[in-house]
Amino acid sequence: MKKTIIVMALAVAVLSILAYLQGGTALVGEGFLIGVRMMWNVLPMLVAAFALSGLVQVLVNREKMSAILGKSSGFKGMLLGSLGGGFLPGGPYVVYPLISSFMGTGADAATIMALVVGKSLLDLARLPQEAAFLGTKVTAVRYGITFTFPLLAAILTKIFFPNLTEELARFREQLQQREEVAKE
Amino acid sequence: MNSQTILLGSLALLAFLIALRRRDGSHKKGLQMGAKVFYSYLPVLVLAFFLAGLLQVALPTNLVRSWLGAESGWRGILVGSFAGWLFAAGPYAVFPIIASMMQSGASIGTVVALSTSWALLSLSKLPYELAILGPRFTLTLKIVTFLMPLLAGFLAQLFFGAMVM
């Protein structure tokens, strides 16, 4: 988070200089003013968006979802993964370990692919933020068009990378061994 | 108050009522979680809006239009499909930037290609993917999804090119 703030502050500084070189302090001021106006306009929407994403995260039962997804394979797994990925709440550092724990438990590589792509493209927790900045129309187009992509990714994995399931199980084993060594 | 705020507000209200019906304090917990995330992201959000505003004045509109606008034809979609990789930041930084590009005249195809390529291929997620999901899976993921932003942008432009954003 701190890193993000520093990087963004730097970007703001660089852009301020760029604006200054083009139109002096007036243009820099205009840039900041546009930012403030934008923020003021979307503030009510942002408040609603954050309330919604918090509530969704509490309402979705992670344990129950894990129990179902962890054992899914075949076409059913692909379908469940495609739809379920978007419901997994949290950032990559929360969701990836959860998905990684499905490797070698019965979920095949195509299911895991569907989950990862589903999480990336159809993340419900991110939907409000996307709608707030890009507008509901553009967001609806984006979600609508990419809705089938997780399933597509899963099918491509199944066809072109048939050995991935076993390789993932091996990776998982290595990871667990490393964790055990680290514990000792 | 615009229609989007009303829509999101109603959805939030619906989620709140569902949580309330559970009678286990879920409604409070959900709102608290939302508020906590909001506060922790507030500095980034403020910076993101300044960034969006400055981008609008510092980036020449003509340049954005000729590179990413509808007039740019499919070049905008192509650029968008791969530019998302370099947007190595979270949604709070990326969406304001895309929004300001939209206001400067980027086409729907470009915007969809850009947000799809960021969601799938952003370099900021790569370390997590490599460490937690493994190099083999990560490689497969990138191969399988490599052309998806291009496809999404193309479809968006084809079917919604005339839409008022």
Side-chain angles (χ1 to χ4, degrees):
Chain A
M1 201 61 190
K2 247 193 200 140
K3 245 205 272 136
T4 313
I5 294 178
I6 293 170
V7 171
M8 290 192 57
L10 273 175
V12 167
V14 170
L15 279 169
S16 301
I17 295 168
L18 272 178
Y20 181 79
L21 292 177
Q22 286 177 62
T25 42
L27 198 64
V28 179
E30 201 191 317
F32 277 96
L33 208 66
I34 292 174
V36 171
R37 230 178 288 140
M38 251 171 117
M39 183 155 46
W40 184 249
N41 285 337
V42 299
L43 198 63
M45 191 160 21
L46 273 179
V47 170
F50 276 99
L52 179 62
S53 80
L55 285 162
V56 166
Q57 289 187 48
V58 170
L59 286 175
V60 172
N61 187 333
R62 200 177 301 201
E63 284 77 37
K64 217 184 267 172
M65 277 193 62
S66 307
I68 299 170
L69 291 169
K71 288 190 210 74
S72 303
S73 62
F75 190 71
K76 195 183 124 205
M78 291 188 206
L79 214 58
L80 280 175
S82 303
L83 296 173
F87 284 96
L88 292 174
Y93 39 87
V94 182
V95 171
Y96 285 170
L98 181 73
I99 295 178
S100 157
S101 72
F102 298 158
M103 292 176 182
T105 61
D108 61 14
T111 302
I112 291 168
M113 184 61 71
L115 272 171
V116 172
V117 175
K119 169 69 185 169
S120 302
L121 285 176
L122 308 174
D123 193 348
L124 257 193
R126 206 178 59 214
L127 177 80
Q129 278 86 40
E130 192 163 340
F133 281 103
L134 305 186
T136 35
K137 265 198 223 164
V138 173
T139 306
V141 168
R142 219 276 293 148
Y143 274 74
I145 284 179
T146 55
F147 187 71
T148 55
F149 283 16
L151 191 62
L152 181 66
I155 293 170
L156 288 174
T157 305
K158 190 102 188 162
I159 297 172
F160 293 107
F161 304 92
N163 299 325
L164 192 61
T165 303
E166 288 137 52
E167 280 171 46
L168 290 186
R170 267 203 300 277
F171 169 74
R172 181 76 199 151
E173 241 168 66
Q174 283 169 2
L175 204 68
Q176 272 164 345
Q177 276 168 4
R178 235 180 292 156
E179 274 164 19
E180 268 159 38
V181 170
K183 260 181 223 157
E184 282 164 17
Chain B
M1 194 76 108
N2 55 25
S3 58
Q4 302 179 6
T5 309
I6 295 170
L7 178 73
L8 281 176
S10 326
L11 284 175
L13 188 66
L14 184 71
F16 181 79
L17 291 176
I18 294 171
L20 194 65
R21 266 193 53 196
R22 284 192 173 178
R23 297 177 195 281
D24 60 355
S26 288
H27 60 295
K28 253 193 222 156
K29 233 171 94 190
L31 288 183
Q32 273 164 2
M33 196 181 271
K36 217 175 90 190
V37 177
F38 183 69
Y39 282 128
S40 70
Y41 273 111
L42 203 57
V44 180
L45 274 174
V46 171
L47 282 170
F49 282 109
F50 285 150
L51 199 64
L54 283 165
L55 270 170
Q56 264 182 56
V57 296
L59 275 188
T61 310
N62 287 340
L63 195 75
V64 176
R65 240 185 245 284
S66 65
W67 271 88
L68 305 171
E71 302 92 282
S72 70
W74 306 113
R75 188 175 55 184
I77 296 173
L78 197 65
V79 171
S81 298
F82 297 101
W85 292 51
L86 305 175
F87 279 25
Y92 304 94
V94 169
F95 288 138
I97 296 175
I98 300 180
S100 68
M101 286 181 174
M102 247 166 72
Q103 259 156 29
S104 306
S107 68
I108 177 89
T110 304
V111 169
V112 167
L114 197 53
S115 52
T116 305
S117 82
W118 166 76
L120 282 174
L121 302 158
S122 160
L123 289 175
S124 64
K125 280 195 301 192
L126 199 60
Y128 296 113
E129 288 164 346
L130 283 172
I132 305 170
L133 301 174
R136 196 70 187 77
F137 181 84
T138 305
L139 184 68
T140 313
L141 173 71
K142 301 298 162 186
I143 293 172
V144 164
T145 57
F146 184 68
L147 292 176
M148 284 183 173
L150 206 59
L151 179 66
F154 180 78
L155 289 174
Q157 192 63 37
L158 196 66
F159 292 113
F160 302 97
M163 192 181 81
V164 182
M165 284 194 269

